[in-house]
Amino acid sequence: GSLGARSAALHEPYADDKEERGMLPHRSDVLKSMVRKTHRQGLQLAFHAIGDRAIDSVLDAYEDVLDEWPRDEHRHRIEHFELPTDDALGRCRDLGIIPVMQPNFVMEWGLPGGMYESRLGARRGRRINPHKLVLSRGLRLAFGSDGMPYGPIYGLKGAVCPPYPNQRIPLEKALIAY
């Protein structure tokens, strides 16, 4: 899903459209089946998940499969990982799931008054990309650009100098994540 298109799956409605909570493209049983089949083949999975409800849905599938077929160093990940709940951070750590985040999005849409704030409201807009919180909870953090723009320089600014303290991480940690 996408916050811009209001298709990212949220537990609470969008701040600028009280009737919309986004969408999940797969039913939970279908998602779990996809994870089970791929995981059992020894492959690494990566799911795109923006929104707390989307992240929780992916974690539910990972958790069910990893409980049934544990595997060390599976390196499954969640791309974007925008707007995780506190519970999701703990589950991600416990399951060994790697969040892959795009700090350049902070500079595009995460400044005060930007698209994140208009779609989510100020409270959720401040916690959409909690890089510092992810690291403090013991998760392995990876960064990417998602092509907006390519290269890490713009993203480094979004990780080191973002507007909210829960997003700020030291330059060394940001370089390691890239």
Side-chain angles (χ1 to χ4, degrees), residues 70-146:
R71 188 172 89 214
D72 291 336
E73 291 299 314
H74 52 73
R75 298 193 53 80
H76 299 324
R77 62 187 199 261
I78 297 177
E79 301 290 328
H80 299 299
F81 200 69
E82 288 186 311
L83 200 62
T85 63
D86 283 337
D87 182 61
L89 291 169
R91 291 173 69 198
C92 227
R93 181 198 57 236
D94 295 346
L95 295 169
I97 305 300
I98 301 167
V100 181
M101 303 175 83
Q102 290 71 32
N104 51 319
F105 286 12
V106 172
M107 300 312 295
E108 285 293 310
W109 302 309
L111 301 176
M115 191 260 297
Y116 287 158
E117 191 174 296
S118 68
R119 290 286 188 267
L120 300 171
R123 177 183 54 85
R124 289 185 293 174
R126 283 190 298 271
R127 63 180 209 22
I128 188 156
N129 288 292
H131 308 127
K132 181 178 181 178
L133 193 55
V134 166
L135 288 175
S136 73
R137 296 288 175 88
L139 282 84
R140 291 185 283 177
L141 176 62
F143 284 155
S145 69
D146 201 45

